[in-house]
Amino acid sequence: MTLNLVWFILIVVLFSGFFLLEGFDYGVGTLMPFLDKREEKRTEVIMSIAPVWDGNEVWMITAGGALFAAFPHVYSTMFSTFYLALFLMLVALILRGVAFELRGHKTDGNWQRIWDAAICFGSAVPAILWGVAVTNLLRGLPIDANMVYQGGFLDLLSVYSIVGGLTFFFVFAFHGAAFLTLRLTDHDLLESARSLGVRMGLLAVIFFVACLVLTYMETDLFLSTPAVIFMLITAVTFIVAWLRLRSGVAAGKSAFALSAVSIISVTVAFFLGLFPRLMVSSLNPEWSLTITNAASTPYTLHIMTIAAGCLVPVVLIYQAWSYWIFRKRITPEDAHKAH
Amino acid sequence: MEALLLSRWQFAITTIYHFFFVPLTLGLTLFVALLETCYVRTNNPAWKATSRKLVKFFGTIFLINFSLGVVTGIVQEFHFGMNWSEYARFMGDIFGAPLALEALTAFFLESTFLGIWMFGWDKLSEKAHCACIWIVALGSNLSAFWILVANSFMQHPVGFAIRNGRAEMTDFASLITNPYVVGEYSHAFFAGMTTAGFLVLAVSAWKYVHDHASRYAFTQTLKAGSVFAFVGIIGVMGSGHMHTQYLQQANPMKLSSMEALWETEDPAPFAIVADINQEAQRNDSELTVPGLFSFMLYNTPTGEVKGINNLQAEAVAKYGPGDYRPDVKAMFWTFRAMVGSAGLMMLTILITAFLAWKNKLAKCTCFLRILPFLMPLPFIANSSGWFVAEGGRQPWIVVGLQKTAAAVSPNLTGTDVFLTLSGFTVLYLVLIFAALYIAFRFINRTSVTTVAEGSDAK
């Protein structure tokens, strides 16, 4: 197995971890204002992710860093191509990150409502933008022989990419709702998370089917049998997850586990559909960025493989430990103490 | 051309803004970790209760600062690809590695253990909780180390070969042992200690004067903070001096620009002030100390220092026609702003240390009233320091290998960058005011009393 392939797999792992973990953070942040009007109840919701969201976000930063180190041409082309989209994402992530910190320092209603809105915006926008990015990457972008994007921001918007964006939005919202059913104790809050999650999940199923149809029409993903298999796994696990959450809060655990599987498998399907490309050129297939022509030297890949091989397991262990520490459900008293 | 200029502004604004928070994070994690260690180890019940509140007090200020540092750090990482894709392409084989290693070794550590520290007060033993903040401090320093490894390559490239139209890594070990890293990292580390120490002094002085119930607690932090800041300022001056001597070999153009030395001289004078004329490539008038520049570099009052004009001629011979001079006027004055602020800080720290350790604080409250208003000093020093470091390598983005003008993303229009530059600037301004408002409000409203009960820090 070549190092290029190792790094392709590692990129898949990092993006899977990112979507799995930040997926529910985005979902929780998006749903939070709609679960309860009372600020102390919203605090309970936020506390379910407060100790871990920052660590989860590092999965995205690491995925970006890994792309830079292993496939610098992909990093260069992708980040400059999505320039204005990434600007929007950065604004959202900045607002969200600062909001988590500043919201709790003042309990007067307006102050908290402003930051609630920032958290909601800052969670919803990245979710949508990742969907837009993923669909654009699958369909291909006007990339020239020098790996430079030949379009503008508006070229990134199409029916397919907007459907993709909304699919991600609803999937993450569902995923976040399922996560909340595992983390809260307040009965009303649990029930409103569940019912909102079920509605989001239904929309997610509808948009996912639409997205699959468009993927079939617009991309070559269905030419790859493994990708199709993983898409099927995604569809089945997500629908079962939705049915589980619909059946009641008590089934939250299996609903969350299944939605986690569906998020990982859709990420795998996406990368399998691209393989061995990482960015598809719609102008000329020869100009696509692949794991070979976009990669770093074998020397750099070698160093980075050793480093990642030693570090990723350690990171997984201590991150798992942090989830273990905060395994107890959030009670109204916890939120009260935080105020 | 427009996209290039605006991208440079955007990067500069983001870097400077990001670097308001980074040194404070570096220093304050260490300060809070030391304070929490005192809390864990003390047997004195009164100090135990007080120090716990102090940990939470400075911990809260740290967290407000940290949140802004984190979010602007993401912008930094994205910027290399968004605005500087040709740089990322040319340099990716080398530059990507330390960035990925920073995420893997530092960001995960910092964010995960900070989460545990923030919310784990009742869930962990005292010692385990204290260990978490030490791990955060380690993570912050690893982060600084890796990013300065990357930056040092831009200043002084080592361990590479130009192949396949790009710079390729040939020796990872020499990349991380680049002598430039030693100077940059030690300077940044001690600058962090100084900034945090100075903040501790300013906040403590304010509380000492305006909150009588908290006097005991903040007398302690004035004592501890003045020692901490003193170590920092000595370190920052020492490392800065060593690094400047090293610049003489590593980047003489930057060095001579800092001092506006146009012609090669032996012994070289040190200009205290100068009226710099960049077009005519000379100083129209200047006030100098003879031989001092040579003395600073060689520890003896003699020795040749190359002038900007001679270095320019050498660069033309080596790289072809072009202007290889940084903006000398800006370099000269920002360097002086940095050194001047450091001098004032040193003075302030010494006076505070004297008053605190000689128990004369109560007699000199007028000094303590002024102290909080000196808080901009470390930030002026940090910002101008980065300006000198980054402005001094212009017109290069990687000295000798790639020019800044060749590094910008070719697909960007001026409008694209104008939109994002305005957007980021407005957002940064709004957020700094929101964060300062909350920080001031918190500091004013929170008492750190010596009784075990009473208002808690959070």
Side-chain angles (χ1 to χ4, degrees):
Chain A
M1 193 158 66
T2 67
L3 289 176
N4 300 51
L5 187 58
V6 169
W7 274 87
F8 179 80
I9 294 169
L10 204 63
I11 298 286
V12 179
V13 170
L14 289 168
F15 272 97
S16 302
F18 161 51
F19 287 137
L20 167 67
L21 298 170
E22 273 283 87
F24 64 71
D25 287 343
Y26 289 159
V28 169
T30 309
L31 298 181
M32 176 266 296
F34 305 101
L35 292 172
D36 205 304
K37 283 201 163 59
R38 290 165 295 173
E39 290 301 335
E40 68 272 18
K41 289 288 147 192
R42 293 179 177 181
T43 304
E44 281 177 61
V45 174
I46 291 171
M47 282 187 77
S48 71
I49 54 168
V52 292
W53 73 267
D54 194 11
N56 296 343
E57 193 174 78
V58 176
W59 282 83
M60 178 190 72
I61 298 170
T62 308
L67 271 182
F68 199 169
F71 304 108
H73 290 297
V74 175
Y75 171 82
S76 307
T77 305
M78 192 186 289
F79 281 61
S80 54
T81 297
F82 294 141
Y83 186 76
L84 287 177
L86 285 174
F87 163 71
L88 275 179
M89 189 183 294
L90 287 170
V91 169
L93 293 177
I94 291 170
L95 281 170
R96 188 181 76 123
V98 175
F100 279 130
E101 177 59 36
L102 294 188
R103 178 186 182 275
H105 285 282
K106 201 176 158 193
T107 45
D108 104 28
N110 277 331
W111 177 263
Q112 295 207 318
R113 261 192 293 280
I114 292 170
W115 295 112
D116 288 348
I119 290 172
C120 182
F121 172 84
S123 306
V125 167
I128 295 170
L129 288 173
W130 277 108
V132 171
V134 161
T135 40
N136 271 309
L137 288 171
L138 271 181
R139 195 180 53 171
L141 293 153
I143 295 167
D144 71 10
N146 298 317
M147 302 182 176
V148 175
Y149 177 56
Q150 295 297 321
F153 176 65
L154 293 177
D155 298 305
L156 300 175
L157 300 178
S158 62
V159 174
Y160 179 45
S161 69
I162 291 167
V163 168
L166 291 172
T167 308
F168 266 61
F169 173 83
F170 291 123
V171 167
F172 287 156
F174 173 85
H175 190 51
F179 178 77
L180 283 175
T181 63
L182 308 180
R183 303 289 301 122
L184 301 172
T185 49
D186 181 286
H187 182 266
D188 295 344
L189 218 45
L190 278 169
E191 189 44 47
S192 69
R194 190 199 67 87
S195 69
L196 197 53
V198 170
R199 274 178 277 164
M200 292 290 133
L202 181 62
L203 287 165
V205 171
I206 294 167
F207 273 91
F208 182 69
V209 171
C211 195
L212 268 188
V213 172
L214 287 167
T215 303
Y216 181 76
M217 286 157 57
E218 304 246 352
T219 77
D220 55 8
L221 181 127
F222 281 80
L223 299 178
S224 153
T225 315
V228 174
I229 292 172
F230 274 95
M231 276 297 180
L232 283 176
I233 296 174
T234 308
V236 171
T237 48
F238 193 81
I239 289 168
V240 180
W242 179 69
L243 290 171
R244 293 300 294 155
L245 194 67
R246 215 176 62 135
S247 74
V249 169
K253 207 174 256 180
S254 56
F256 179 73
L258 285 162
S259 80
V261 173
S262 72
I263 285 174
I264 292 172
S265 64
V266 80
T267 314
V268 174
F270 161 73
F271 279 105
L272 285 174
L274 284 179
F275 185 80
R277 302 160 302 176
L278 283 160
M279 290 191 83
V280 179
S281 169
S282 59
L283 302 177
N284 182 342
E286 302 278 303
W287 296 343
S288 293
L289 282 71
T290 70
I291 63 167
T292 321
N293 72 6
S296 284
T297 54
Y299 178 77
T300 298
L301 289 177
H302 182 71
I303 301 258
M304 291 309 297
T305 306
I306 295 170
C310 299
L311 292 164
V312 172
V314 179
V315 169
L316 285 173
I317 289 168
Y318 66 66
Q319 252 194 359
W321 181 62
S322 86
Y323 277 90
W324 171 252
I325 294 171
F326 299 107
R327 67 193 176 280
K328 271 178 74 181
R329 288 172 179 258
I330 306 296
T331 62
E333 291 76 57
D334 291 328
H336 187 71
K337 257 193 280 176
H339 263 275
Chain B
M1 210 55 215
E2 216 178 17
L4 169 68
L5 187 66
L6 294 171
S7 290
R8 288 185 65 184
W9 271 105
Q10 182 165 305
F11 200 88
I13 289 172
T14 303
T15 310
I16 299 278
Y17 189 76
H18 180 58
F19 208 68
F20 286 156
F21 312 109
V22 170
L24 209 47
T25 295
L26 277 175
L28 219 44
T29 41
L30 189 58
F31 185 81
V32 172
L34 288 167
L35 200 57
E36 189 167 349
T37 308
C38 293
Y39 158 70
V40 171
R41 292 180 63 95
T42 183
N43 293 318
N44 173 345
W47 173 237
K48 183 114 183 154
T50 311
S51 56
R52 181 184 162 105
K53 286 179 198 163
L54 280 171
V55 169
K56 288 203 172 187
F57 182 86
F58 286 105
T60 303
I61 297 174
F62 160 67
L63 289 173
I64 297 170
N65 157 72
F66 185 80
S67 71
L68 281 156
V70 166
V71 294
T72 47
I74 310 174
V75 184
Q76 295 283 83
E77 198 210 20
F78 280 30
H79 257 158
F80 298 116
M82 287 168 68
N83 292 72
W84 307 101
S85 68
E86 293 317 291
Y87 166 77
R89 233 180 263 294
F90 180 72
M91 283 286 297
D93 192 54
I94 296 159
F95 199 82
L99 247 64
L101 286 166
E102 185 186 18
L104 279 169
T105 59
F107 292 158
F108 273 123
L109 214 57
E110 264 182 305
S111 58
T112 308
F113 283 93
L114 191 63
I116 299 173
W117 187 80
M118 282 164 83
F119 296 96
W121 281 95
D122 311 324
K123 295 184 193 290
L124 293 176
S125 73
E126 278 182 3
K127 280 184 184 162
H129 188 265
C130 183
C132 287
I133 192 73
W134 278 107
I135 294 174
V136 175
L138 173 72
S140 310
N141 278 286
L142 282 171
S143 165
F145 171 76
W146 286 117
I147 199 64
L148 292 174
V149 164
N151 184 267
S152 292
F153 185 90
M154 301 166 77
Q155 312 279 358
H156 182 59
V158 289
F160 70 99
I162 301 292
R163 282 192 298 242
N164 309 314
R166 63 174 177 178
E168 296 189 341
M169 197 199 296
T170 57
D171 187 1
F172 181 68
S174 69
L175 190 69
I176 55 175
T177 56
N178 186 348
Y180 216 98
V181 179
V182 180
E184 284 204 333
Y185 175 73
S186 56
H187 204 52
F189 173 82
F190 287 116
M193 274 185 84
T194 311
T195 309
F198 212 79
L199 177 106
V200 169
L201 295 185
V203 171
S204 304
W206 177 267
K207 292 302 285 179
Y208 186 94
V209 173
H210 297 279
D211 179 7
H212 289 251
S214 305
R215 275 207 166 172
Y216 166 74
F218 288 105
T219 306
Q220 305 308 311
T221 53
L222 279 166
K223 283 184 182 173
S226 59
V227 175
F228 190 81
F230 182 72
V231 174
I233 196 90
I234 292 290
V236 90
M237 285 177 166
S239 59
H241 178 66
M242 273 165 40
H243 192 57
T244 312
Q245 292 197 333
Y246 167 69
L247 276 186
Q248 207 264 327
Q249 321 151 26
N251 196 340
M253 182 63 103
K254 182 189 279 183
L255 177 69
S256 297
S257 303
M258 279 153 57
E259 305 297 4
L261 184 77
W262 292 95
E263 303 302 333
T264 302
E265 287 188 55
D266 182 9
F270 175 84
I272 299 165
V273 289
D275 182 8
I276 294 157
N277 189 335
Q278 178 108 9
E279 288 77 46
Q281 296 145 31
R282 62 183 163 81
N283 298 337
D284 287 339
S285 60
E286 55 185 12
L287 176 63
T288 61
V289 182
L292 183 58
F293 191 12
S294 292
F295 181 74
M296 285 157 76
L297 293 179
Y298 306 111
N299 308 323
T300 68
T302 53
E304 183 190 84
V305 186
K306 284 185 177 164
I308 298 163
N309 292 336
N310 307 73
L311 290 164
Q312 160 73 14
E314 281 178 22
V316 169
K318 195 168 171 191
Y319 306 115
D323 188 352
Y324 297 92
R325 290 164 300 207
D327 184 335
V328 178
K329 195 182 240 175
M331 290 291 290
F332 181 86
W333 287 110
T334 43
F335 182 68
R336 271 147 193 75
M338 178 180 78
V339 174
S341 319
L344 280 174
M345 279 192 277
M346 175 64 116
L347 189 66
T348 314
I349 292 163
L350 286 175
I351 296 172
T352 317
F354 175 79
L355 295 178
W357 289 95
K358 291 277 179 189
N359 295 320
K360 289 184 194 302
L361 290 169
K363 288 180 198 147
C364 293
T365 52
C366 71
F367 174 75
L368 295 180
R369 280 174 203 279
I370 298 168
L371 182 49
F373 296 95
L374 301 176
M375 199 54 229
L377 286 175
F379 296 97
I380 293 170
N382 294 336
S383 306
S384 45
W386 262 118
F387 184 91
V388 171
E390 300 293 83
R393 65 171 158 71
Q394 302 299 334
W396 300 104
I397 192 162
V398 186
V399 173
L401 300 183
Q402 189 181 37
K403 285 191 178 166
T404 310
V408 74
S409 303
N411 62 316
L412 296 185
T413 64
T415 319
D416 288 338
V417 191
F418 179 77
L419 279 174
T420 58
L421 172 61
S422 340
F424 279 127
T425 310
V426 170
L427 185 63
Y428 292 162
L429 282 172
V430 170
L431 292 180
I432 192 94
F433 282 115
L436 284 175
Y437 163 70
I438 283 299
F440 285 135
R441 188 174 177 276
F442 168 80
I443 290 166
N444 270 324
R445 290 186 165 210
T446 311
S447 280
V448 182
T449 50
T450 18
V451 231
E453 293 82 26
S455 76
D456 205 292
K458 181 149 186 177

